[in-house]
Amino acid sequence: MAASTSVSVAGFKGSLGKSSFNGGEDYAMLAAKSAPNVVRIGKPVRAQPMMKNVNEGKGVFAPLVVVTRQIVGKKRFNQLRGKAIALHSQVINEFCKAIGADGKQRQGLIRLAKKNGEKLGFLA
């Protein structure tokens, strides 16, 4: 026993006739009065990256890092931090060349340096 329902949408924009629920106004007129013409959407909110440091605010050097960031400003601080990380990576690369370590070992040393930096508070 299947029941079929048919819906006609041929004249949806105003030709549905007079409505019996609002004094004879057209449905299109009601829709025009109640719906805004323009929907404004604000600037999309950008989600913060989820690369949080689990040791943030902890470590021996964390207070020094936080104070330095407040003094020099976040943009300049991140530039300085980037330069320091790049220099440290160069030192690790030169060390690996000197002892003959392969790329996998070098990558492991760089990861270890990052973990140690987090624990000590350099990445606070």
Side-chain angles (χ1 to χ4, degrees):
M1 291 193 156
S4 67
T5 304
S6 67
V7 176
S8 173
V9 292
F12 185 73
K13 288 208 173 220
S15 64
L16 290 176
K18 301 291 182 190
S19 65
S20 60
F21 57 86
N22 199 1
E25 285 189 8
D26 248 334
Y27 179 78
M29 294 292 283
L30 287 174
K33 287 180 183 176
S34 64
N37 291 339
V38 178
V39 177
R40 295 181 191 255
I41 299 174
K43 187 176 179 182
V45 177
R46 186 174 177 180
Q48 292 293 328
M50 297 305 291
M51 298 186 322
K52 284 282 188 175
N53 180 1
V54 295
N55 295 315
E56 189 168 354
K58 300 176 185 173
V60 177
F61 296 101
L64 178 67
V65 170
V66 171
V67 168
T68 304
R69 183 188 306 130
Q70 290 173 349
I71 292 172
V72 299
K74 199 171 191 176
K75 183 177 179 181
R76 179 74 177 135
F77 176 79
N78 285 336
Q79 290 172 343
L80 291 171
R81 177 187 276 171
K83 287 180 184 178
I85 290 171
L87 286 172
H88 194 233
S89 294
Q90 285 177 353
V91 169
I92 292 171
N93 287 333
E94 293 299 319
F95 175 75
C96 288
K97 284 181 187 176
I99 65 169
D102 64 352
K104 199 170 193 175
Q105 290 173 324
R106 186 186 81 237
Q107 205 171 32
L109 286 174
I110 291 173
R111 284 193 182 120
L112 180 63
K114 182 178 182 215
K115 286 181 185 177
N116 287 338
E118 288 174 354
K119 288 179 185 175
L120 292 172
F122 285 119
L123 302 177

